[in-house]
Structures are given as structure tokens and as C-alpha cells.
Amino acid sequence: ISSVTGIIEYIDYLEWIENRRWNIHTKFGTTILLPAIGFDEAISKINKLNKSGKLLSRKITVLDLRDEKRILVIPNK
């Protein structure tokens, strides 16, 4: 919980997936897919992107952070 303090105001709920990783669902309708390993690093990336570009208040359906080399962003249609 302490690792999400920078984005806590955006979180609607957390979802535990297949007993190994988390998804974060935001109040704006974005689902953030977190990796099974490196949860803290992924949250840190989200915090940085949100501070610099208000990422979590944009119209985005999915932010997939499961691949450490890239972030997949699926916008709302």
C-alpha cells in the first residue's frame, strides 16, 4: 500500500489475478496491469508518468506494465 501513495486518490479498487499479480482499477476507468515481479518499479513508473503528464486522468482503457521494456497503452475509443 505504501508504494501506491502517489496515486492512491485515483484508485477505485485492486484486483488479485491468478494468485500472482495485481490489477489496479482507477476511478477514471483505466485498468493498470501490473507485473508479478517488480510491482514497486511499475508503481514508480506510473507515479513518474502521472506527475509529468497527468497520465491517470486521461482517457485510457488499459495501461499494461507487465513487460518491463515497454508500456502498452490502449486509449478509449
Side-chain angles (χ1 to χ4, degrees), residues 2-47:
S2 63
S3 62
V4 298
T5 55
I7 61 169
I8 196 84
E9 69 221 36
Y10 297 95
I11 295 174
D12 187 20
Y13 64 96
L14 301 171
E15 178 182 23
W16 182 236
I17 305 295
E18 299 177 4
N19 277 337
R20 61 184 188 92
R21 63 173 199 82
W22 291 97
N23 283 349
I24 298 173
H25 296 269
T26 71
K27 295 175 184 175
F28 291 97
T30 302
T31 301
I32 303 168
L33 287 73
L34 297 172
I37 299 171
F39 174 89
D40 290 337
E41 292 85 8
I43 294 294
S44 178
K45 283 181 190 178
I46 293 168
N47 275 327

Side-chain angles (χ1 to χ4, degrees), residues 6-7 10 46-57:
I7 61 169
Y10 297 95
I46 293 168
N47 275 327
K48 288 177 187 175
L49 292 169
N50 194 51
K51 284 180 183 178
S52 65
K54 306 275 188 214
L55 181 71
L56 296 178
S57 58

